[in-house]
Coordinates of all heavy atoms in Angstrom, one line a residue:
S156 N 202.2 154.2 65.3 CA 201.9 155.6 65.0 C 201.4 155.6 63.5 O 201.5 154.6 62.8 CB 203.1 156.4 65.1 OG 204.1 156.1 64.2
G157 N 200.9 156.7 63.1 CA 200.4 156.8 61.8 C 198.9 156.8 61.8 O 198.2 156.4 62.8
D158 N 198.3 157.1 60.6 CA 196.9 157.1 60.5 C 196.3 155.7 60.3 O 197.0 154.8 59.7 CB 196.5 157.9 59.2 CG 196.8 159.4 59.3 OD1 197.3 159.8 60.4 OD2 196.7 160.1 58.4
I159 N 195.1 155.5 60.8 CA 194.4 154.2 60.7 C 193.1 154.5 59.9 O 192.3 155.3 60.3 CB 194.0 153.6 62.0 CG1 195.2 153.4 62.9 CG2 193.3 152.2 61.8 CD1 196.3 152.4 62.4
L160 N 193.0 153.9 58.7 CA 191.8 154.0 57.9 C 190.7 153.1 58.3 O 191.0 151.9 58.5 CB 192.2 153.7 56.4 CG 191.1 153.8 55.4 CD1 190.5 155.2 55.2 CD2 191.6 153.3 54.0
V161 N 189.5 153.6 58.5 CA 188.4 152.7 58.8 C 187.4 152.8 57.7 O 186.8 153.9 57.5 CB 187.7 153.1 60.2 CG1 186.5 152.3 60.4 CG2 188.7 153.0 61.3
T162 N 187.2 151.8 56.9 CA 186.2 151.8 55.9 C 184.8 151.5 56.5 O 184.7 150.8 57.5 CB 186.5 150.7 54.8 OG1 186.4 149.4 55.3 CG2 187.9 151.0 54.2
G163 N 183.8 152.0 55.8 CA 182.4 151.8 56.3 C 182.2 152.4 57.7 O 181.5 151.9 58.6
A164 N 182.8 153.5 57.9 CA 182.9 154.2 59.2 C 181.5 154.6 59.7 O 181.3 154.7 60.9 CB 183.8 155.4 59.2
S165 N 180.5 154.8 58.8 CA 179.2 155.1 59.3 C 178.3 154.0 59.7 O 177.3 154.1 60.3 CB 178.4 155.9 58.2 OG 179.1 157.1 58.0
G166 N 178.8 152.8 59.5 CA 178.1 151.6 59.9 C 178.3 151.3 61.4 O 179.1 151.9 62.0
R167 N 177.6 150.3 61.9 CA 177.7 150.0 63.3 C 179.1 149.6 63.7 O 179.7 150.1 64.7 CB 176.7 148.9 63.7 CG 175.3 149.5 63.7 CD 174.3 148.4 64.2 NE 173.0 148.9 64.0 CZ 172.0 148.6 64.8 NH1 172.2 147.8 65.8 NH2 170.8 149.1 64.6
V168 N 179.7 148.6 63.0 CA 181.0 148.2 63.3 C 182.0 149.3 63.1 O 183.0 149.5 63.9 CB 181.4 146.9 62.5 CG1 182.8 146.5 62.7 CG2 180.4 145.8 62.8
G169 N 181.9 150.0 62.0 CA 182.8 151.1 61.7 C 182.8 152.2 62.7 O 183.8 152.7 63.1
R170 N 181.6 152.5 63.2 CA 181.5 153.5 64.3 C 182.2 153.1 65.6 O 182.9 153.9 66.2 CB 180.0 153.9 64.6 CG 179.3 154.5 63.4 CD 177.9 154.7 63.6 NE 177.6 155.8 64.6 CZ 177.7 157.1 64.3 NH1 178.0 157.5 63.1 NH2 177.4 158.0 65.2
H171 N 182.0 151.8 65.9 CA 182.7 151.3 67.1 C 184.2 151.3 66.9 O 185.0 151.6 67.8 CB 182.3 149.9 67.4 CG 180.9 149.8 68.0 ND1 180.6 150.3 69.3 CD2 179.7 149.4 67.5 CE1 179.4 150.1 69.6 NE2 178.8 149.6 68.5
A172 N 184.7 151.0 65.7 CA 186.1 151.0 65.4 C 186.7 152.4 65.5 O 187.8 152.6 66.1 CB 186.4 150.4 64.0
V173 N 186.0 153.4 65.0 CA 186.4 154.8 65.0 C 186.6 155.2 66.5 O 187.6 155.7 66.9 CB 185.5 155.7 64.3 CG1 185.8 157.2 64.6 CG2 185.5 155.5 62.8
H174 N 185.6 154.9 67.3 CA 185.6 155.3 68.7 C 186.7 154.6 69.5 O 187.4 155.2 70.3 CB 184.2 155.0 69.3 CG 184.0 155.5 70.7 ND1 184.0 156.8 71.0 CD2 183.9 154.8 71.9 CE1 183.9 157.0 72.3 NE2 183.8 155.7 72.9
L175 N 186.8 153.3 69.3 CA 187.8 152.5 70.0 C 189.2 153.0 69.6 O 190.1 153.2 70.5 CB 187.7 151.0 69.7 CG 188.7 150.1 70.3 CD1 188.5 150.0 71.8 CD2 188.5 148.7 69.7
L176 N 189.5 153.1 68.3 CA 190.9 153.5 67.9 C 191.2 154.9 68.3 O 192.3 155.2 68.8 CB 191.0 153.4 66.4 CG 191.0 151.9 65.8 CD1 190.7 151.9 64.3 CD2 192.2 151.2 66.2
A177 N 190.3 155.8 68.3 CA 190.5 157.2 68.7 C 190.8 157.2 70.2 O 191.7 157.9 70.7 CB 189.3 158.1 68.4
G178 N 190.1 156.4 71.0 CA 190.3 156.3 72.4 C 191.6 155.7 72.7 O 192.2 156.1 73.8
L179 N 192.2 154.9 71.9 CA 193.5 154.4 72.1 C 194.6 155.3 71.6 O 195.8 155.0 71.7 CB 193.6 153.0 71.3 CG 192.8 151.9 71.9 CD1 192.8 150.7 71.0 CD2 193.3 151.5 73.3
G180 N 194.2 156.5 71.0 CA 195.2 157.5 70.6 C 195.6 157.5 69.2 O 196.5 158.2 68.8
Y181 N 195.0 156.6 68.4 CA 195.3 156.6 66.9 C 194.7 157.8 66.2 O 193.6 158.3 66.6 CB 194.8 155.3 66.3 CG 195.6 154.1 66.7 CD1 195.1 153.3 67.8 CD2 196.8 153.8 66.1 CE1 195.9 152.2 68.2 CE2 197.6 152.7 66.6 CZ 197.1 151.9 67.6 OH 197.8 150.8 68.0
T182 N 195.3 158.2 65.1 CA 194.7 159.2 64.3 C 193.8 158.4 63.3 O 194.3 157.7 62.4 CB 195.8 160.0 63.5 OG1 196.6 160.6 64.5 CG2 195.1 161.0 62.6
V183 N 192.5 158.6 63.4 CA 191.5 157.8 62.6 C 191.1 158.6 61.4 O 190.7 159.7 61.5 CB 190.3 157.4 63.5 CG1 189.3 156.7 62.6 CG2 190.7 156.6 64.7
V184 N 191.2 157.9 60.2 CA 190.7 158.4 59.0 C 189.4 157.6 58.7 O 189.5 156.4 58.4 CB 191.7 158.3 57.8 CG1 191.1 158.8 56.5 CG2 193.0 159.0 58.1
A185 N 188.3 158.3 58.7 CA 187.0 157.6 58.5 C 186.6 157.7 57.1 O 186.5 158.8 56.6 CB 185.9 158.2 59.5
A186 N 186.4 156.6 56.5 CA 185.9 156.5 55.1 C 184.4 156.2 55.1 O 184.0 155.2 55.6 CB 186.7 155.5 54.3
T187 N 183.7 157.1 54.4 CA 182.2 156.9 54.4 C 181.6 157.5 53.1 O 182.2 158.5 52.6 CB 181.5 157.5 55.6 OG1 180.1 157.3 55.6 CG2 181.8 159.0 55.7
E188 N 180.5 157.0 52.7 CA 179.8 157.7 51.6 C 178.7 158.5 52.2 O 178.0 159.3 51.5 CB 179.1 156.6 50.7 CG 180.2 155.8 49.9 CD 179.5 154.8 48.9 OE1 178.3 154.9 48.8 OE2 180.3 154.0 48.4
Q189 N 178.4 158.4 53.5 CA 177.4 159.2 54.2 C 177.9 160.5 54.6 O 178.3 160.7 55.8 CB 176.9 158.4 55.4 CG 176.5 156.9 55.1 CD 175.4 156.9 54.1 OE1 174.4 157.6 54.1 NE2 175.5 155.9 53.2
I190 N 177.8 161.5 53.7 CA 178.4 162.8 54.0 C 177.6 163.5 55.1 O 178.2 164.3 55.9 CB 178.3 163.7 52.7 CG1 179.1 163.0 51.6 CG2 178.8 165.1 52.9 CD1 180.6 162.7 52.0
N191 N 176.4 163.1 55.3 CA 175.6 163.8 56.4 C 176.0 163.2 57.8 O 175.5 163.7 58.8 CB 174.1 163.5 56.2 CG 173.7 162.1 56.1 OD1 174.6 161.2 55.8 ND2 172.5 161.8 56.3
D192 N 176.9 162.3 57.8 CA 177.3 161.6 59.1 C 178.7 162.2 59.5 O 179.2 161.7 60.5 CB 177.4 160.1 58.9 CG 177.3 159.4 60.2 OD1 176.7 159.9 61.1 OD2 177.8 158.2 60.3
V193 N 179.2 163.2 58.9 CA 180.6 163.7 59.2 C 180.6 164.2 60.6 O 181.6 163.9 61.3 CB 181.0 164.8 58.2 CG1 182.2 165.5 58.6 CG2 181.2 164.2 56.8
A194 N 179.7 165.0 61.1 CA 179.7 165.5 62.4 C 179.8 164.4 63.5 O 180.5 164.5 64.5 CB 178.5 166.5 62.6
S195 N 179.0 163.4 63.3 CA 179.0 162.3 64.3 C 180.3 161.5 64.3 O 180.8 161.1 65.4 CB 177.8 161.4 64.2 OG 177.8 160.7 63.0
L196 N 180.9 161.3 63.1 CA 182.2 160.6 63.1 C 183.3 161.5 63.7 O 184.1 160.9 64.4 CB 182.5 160.3 61.6 CG 181.7 159.2 61.0 CD1 182.0 159.1 59.5 CD2 181.9 157.9 61.7
L197 N 183.2 162.8 63.5 CA 184.2 163.6 64.2 C 184.0 163.6 65.7 O 185.0 163.6 66.5 CB 184.1 165.1 63.7 CG 184.5 165.3 62.2 CD1 184.2 166.7 61.7 CD2 186.0 165.0 62.1
A198 N 182.7 163.6 66.2 CA 182.4 163.5 67.6 C 182.9 162.2 68.2 O 183.3 162.1 69.4 CB 180.9 163.7 67.8
L199 N 183.0 161.1 67.4 CA 183.5 159.8 67.9 C 185.0 159.8 67.9 O 185.5 158.9 68.5 CB 183.0 158.7 67.0 CG 181.5 158.3 67.1 CD1 181.1 157.4 66.0 CD2 181.2 157.7 68.4
G200 N 185.6 160.8 67.3 CA 187.1 160.8 67.4 C 187.8 160.8 66.1 O 189.1 160.9 66.1
A201 N 187.1 160.7 65.0 CA 187.8 160.7 63.7 C 188.5 162.1 63.5 O 187.9 163.1 63.9 CB 186.9 160.4 62.6
K202 N 189.7 162.0 63.0 CA 190.4 163.3 62.8 C 190.3 163.7 61.3 O 190.4 164.9 61.0 CB 191.9 163.1 63.1 CG 192.2 162.9 64.6 CD 191.8 164.0 65.4 CE 192.1 163.8 66.9 NZ 191.3 164.6 67.8
K203 N 190.1 162.8 60.4 CA 189.9 163.1 59.0 C 188.7 162.2 58.5 O 188.5 161.1 58.9 CB 191.2 162.7 58.2 CG 192.4 163.4 58.7 CD 193.6 162.8 58.0 CE 194.9 163.4 58.7 NZ 196.1 162.7 58.1
I204 N 188.1 162.8 57.5 CA 187.0 162.1 56.8 C 187.3 162.1 55.3 O 187.7 163.1 54.8 CB 185.6 162.9 57.0 CG1 185.3 163.2 58.5 CG2 184.5 162.1 56.4 CD1 185.1 162.0 59.4
V205 N 187.1 160.9 54.7 CA 187.2 160.8 53.3 C 186.0 160.2 52.7 O 185.4 159.3 53.3 CB 188.5 160.0 52.8 CG1 189.8 160.8 53.2 CG2 188.5 158.6 53.4
D206 N 185.7 160.5 51.5 CA 184.5 159.9 50.8 C 185.0 158.6 50.3 O 186.0 158.5 49.5 CB 184.1 160.8 49.6 CG 182.8 160.4 49.0 OD1 182.6 159.1 48.9 OD2 182.1 161.2 48.4
S207 N 184.4 157.5 50.7 CA 184.9 156.2 50.3 C 184.8 155.9 48.8 O 185.6 155.1 48.3 CB 184.2 155.1 51.1 OG 182.8 155.1 50.9
R208 N 184.0 156.6 48.1 CA 183.9 156.5 46.7 C 185.2 157.0 46.0 O 185.6 156.4 45.0 CB 182.7 157.3 46.1 CG 181.4 156.7 46.6 CD 180.2 157.6 46.2 NE 180.3 158.7 47.1 CZ 179.2 159.5 47.4 NH1 178.1 159.2 46.9 NH2 179.4 160.5 48.2
M209 N 185.8 157.9 46.6 CA 187.1 158.4 46.1 C 188.2 157.4 46.2 O 189.1 157.3 45.4 CB 187.5 159.7 46.9 CG 188.9 160.2 46.4 SD 189.8 161.1 47.7 CE 189.9 160.0 49.1
L210 N 188.1 156.5 47.2 CA 189.1 155.5 47.4 C 189.1 154.4 46.4 O 190.1 153.6 46.2 CB 189.0 154.8 48.8 CG 189.2 155.8 50.0 CD1 189.0 155.0 51.3 CD2 190.6 156.3 50.0
K211 N 188.0 154.3 45.6 CA 187.9 153.3 44.6 C 188.7 153.6 43.4 O 188.9 152.8 42.5 CB 186.4 153.1 44.3 CG 185.6 152.5 45.5 CD 184.1 152.5 45.1 CE 183.4 152.0 46.4 NZ 181.9 152.1 46.2
E212 N 189.1 154.9 43.2 CA 189.8 155.3 42.1 C 191.3 155.0 42.2 O 191.9 155.4 43.2 CB 189.6 156.8 41.9 CG 188.2 157.3 41.7 CD 187.7 156.7 40.4 OE1 188.4 156.7 39.4 OE2 186.5 156.4 40.3
P213 N 191.9 154.3 41.3 CA 193.4 154.0 41.4 C 194.2 155.2 41.6 O 195.3 155.1 42.2 CB 193.7 153.4 40.0 CG 192.4 152.9 39.5 CD 191.3 153.8 40.0
K214 N 193.9 156.4 41.1 CA 194.7 157.6 41.2 C 194.8 158.0 42.7 O 195.6 158.9 43.0 CB 194.1 158.7 40.3 CG 192.8 159.2 40.8 CD 192.3 160.3 39.8 CE 190.9 160.7 40.3 NZ 190.3 161.7 39.4
N215 N 193.9 157.5 43.5 CA 193.9 157.9 44.9 C 194.6 156.9 45.8 O 194.4 156.9 47.0 CB 192.4 158.2 45.4 CG 191.8 159.3 44.7 OD1 192.4 160.4 44.6 ND2 190.6 159.1 44.2
L216 N 195.5 156.2 45.3 CA 196.2 155.2 46.0 C 197.0 155.8 47.1 O 197.3 155.2 48.2 CB 197.2 154.4 45.1 CG 198.0 153.3 45.7 CD1 197.0 152.2 46.2 CD2 198.9 152.7 44.6
L217 N 197.4 157.1 47.0 CA 198.2 157.8 48.0 C 197.5 157.8 49.3 O 198.1 157.6 50.4 CB 198.6 159.2 47.5 CG 199.4 160.0 48.5 CD1 200.8 159.4 48.7 CD2 199.6 161.4 47.9
V218 N 196.2 158.0 49.3 CA 195.4 158.1 50.6 C 195.5 156.7 51.3 O 195.7 156.7 52.5 CB 193.9 158.4 50.3 CG1 193.1 158.2 51.6 CG2 193.8 159.8 49.7
K219 N 195.5 155.6 50.5 CA 195.5 154.3 51.1 C 196.9 154.0 51.6 O 197.1 153.4 52.7 CB 195.0 153.3 50.1 CG 193.6 153.4 49.8 CD 193.1 152.3 48.9 CE 193.3 152.7 47.4 NZ 192.7 151.8 46.5
T220 N 197.9 154.3 50.9 CA 199.3 154.0 51.3 C 199.8 154.9 52.4 O 200.8 154.5 53.0 CB 200.2 154.0 50.0 OG1 200.2 155.4 49.5 CG2 199.9 153.0 49.0
R221 N 199.2 156.0 52.6 CA 199.6 156.9 53.7 C 199.2 156.4 55.1 O 199.8 156.8 56.1 CB 199.0 158.3 53.4 CG 199.7 159.4 54.2 CD 199.2 160.7 53.9 NE 198.9 160.9 52.5 CZ 198.0 161.8 52.0 NH1 197.4 162.6 52.9 NH2 197.8 162.0 50.8
C222 N 198.3 155.4 55.1 CA 197.8 154.9 56.4 C 198.7 153.8 56.9 O 199.2 152.9 56.1 CB 196.4 154.4 56.2 SG 195.3 155.8 55.9
S223 N 198.9 153.7 58.2 CA 199.7 152.6 58.8 C 198.9 151.3 58.9 O 199.5 150.3 59.1 CB 200.2 153.1 60.1 OG 201.1 154.2 60.0
G224 N 197.6 151.5 59.0 CA 196.8 150.3 59.2 C 195.4 150.6 58.7 O 195.0 151.7 58.4
V225 N 194.6 149.5 58.6 CA 193.2 149.6 58.1 C 192.3 148.7 58.9 O 192.7 147.5 59.2 CB 193.2 149.2 56.6 CG1 191.7 149.2 56.1 CG2 194.0 150.1 55.7
V226 N 191.1 149.1 59.2 CA 190.0 148.3 59.7 C 189.0 148.3 58.6 O 188.4 149.3 58.3 CB 189.4 148.8 61.0 CG1 188.2 148.0 61.4 CG2 190.5 148.8 62.1
D227 N 188.9 147.2 57.8 CA 188.0 147.1 56.7 C 186.7 146.5 57.1 O 186.6 145.2 57.2 CB 188.7 146.3 55.6 CG 187.8 146.3 54.3 OD1 186.8 147.0 54.2 OD2 188.1 145.4 53.5
T228 N 185.7 147.3 57.3 CA 184.4 146.7 57.7 C 183.5 146.5 56.5 O 182.3 146.0 56.7 CB 183.6 147.6 58.7 OG1 183.2 148.8 58.0 CG2 184.5 148.0 59.9
V229 N 183.9 146.8 55.3 CA 183.1 146.8 54.1 C 183.4 145.5 53.3 O 182.6 144.9 52.8 CB 183.3 148.0 53.2 CG1 182.5 147.9 51.9 CG2 183.0 149.3 54.0
G230 N 184.7 145.1 53.3 CA 185.1 143.9 52.5 C 184.9 144.1 51.0 O 184.6 143.1 50.3
S231 N 185.2 145.3 50.6 CA 185.0 145.5 49.1 C 186.4 145.6 48.5 O 187.4 145.3 49.1 CB 184.2 146.8 48.9 OG 185.0 147.9 49.3
R232 N 186.4 146.1 47.3 CA 187.6 146.2 46.5 C 188.4 147.5 46.8 O 189.4 147.8 46.2 CB 187.4 146.1 45.0 CG 186.7 144.8 44.6 CD 186.5 144.7 43.1 NE 187.6 145.0 42.3 CZ 188.6 144.1 42.0 NH1 188.5 142.8 42.4 NH2 189.6 144.4 41.2
I233 N 187.9 148.3 47.8 CA 188.5 149.6 48.1 C 190.0 149.5 48.3 O 190.8 150.3 47.9 CB 187.9 150.2 49.3 CG1 186.5 150.7 48.9 CG2 188.7 151.4 49.8 CD1 185.7 151.3 50.0
L234 N 190.5 148.4 49.0 CA 191.9 148.3 49.4 C 192.8 147.7 48.3 O 194.0 147.7 48.5 CB 192.0 147.5 50.7 CG 191.2 148.1 51.8 CD1 191.3 147.3 53.1 CD2 191.7 149.6 52.1
L235 N 192.2 147.2 47.3 CA 193.0 146.6 46.2 C 193.6 147.7 45.4 O 193.0 148.7 45.1 CB 192.2 145.7 45.3 CG 191.5 144.5 46.0 CD1 190.7 143.8 45.0 CD2 192.6 143.6 46.5
S236 N 194.9 147.5 45.0 CA 195.5 148.5 44.1 C 195.7 147.8 42.7 O 195.9 146.6 42.6 CB 196.8 148.9 44.7 OG 197.7 147.8 44.8
D237 N 195.6 148.6 41.7 CA 195.7 148.1 40.3 C 197.2 148.0 39.9 O 198.0 148.7 40.3 CB 194.9 148.9 39.4 CG 193.4 148.9 39.7 OD1 193.0 147.9 40.2 OD2 192.7 149.8 39.4

């Protein structure tokens, strides 16, 4: 149980992850910089959308720690905490 964060949710792998996890009953938090893609991510089953640029800020650690799991399709420093 709990939220699953998907980074790079607007990319091909991210979109598949959102759809698959939502289909399995998880609450998906889709992280994307593509604000124009919000409607399609919600249609795929994402329950929450966050701007992935926000996740890069140390002050937003709460968003990351609130999730029970992560599918990181970006491989960036987003998940590192200072």
Side-chain angles (χ1 to χ4, degrees):
S156 69
D158 295 354
I159 305 294
L160 176 67
V161 177
T162 65
S165 292
R167 289 184 187 212
V168 174
R170 295 174 72 77
H171 286 291
V173 168
H174 186 66
L175 177 68
L176 291 166
L179 291 171
Y181 290 98
T182 301
V183 178
V184 179
T187 183
E188 292 182 12
Q189 306 301 320
I190 301 306
N191 59 337
D192 204 26
V193 170
S195 64
L196 290 171
L197 292 172
L199 286 171
K202 296 295 182 198
K203 303 174 188 173
I204 308 292
V205 295
D206 187 331
S207 57
R208 293 171 289 207
M209 179 209 50
L210 296 176
K211 296 175 185 172
E212 299 294 324
K214 66 182 178 184
N215 294 313
L216 185 60
L217 181 61
V218 172
K219 293 183 271 189
T220 58
R221 199 178 316 158
C222 294
S223 297
V225 176
V226 175
D227 182 15
T228 70
V229 178
S231 68
R232 299 182 52 87
I233 289 174
L234 302 178
L235 296 177
S236 59
D237 297 332

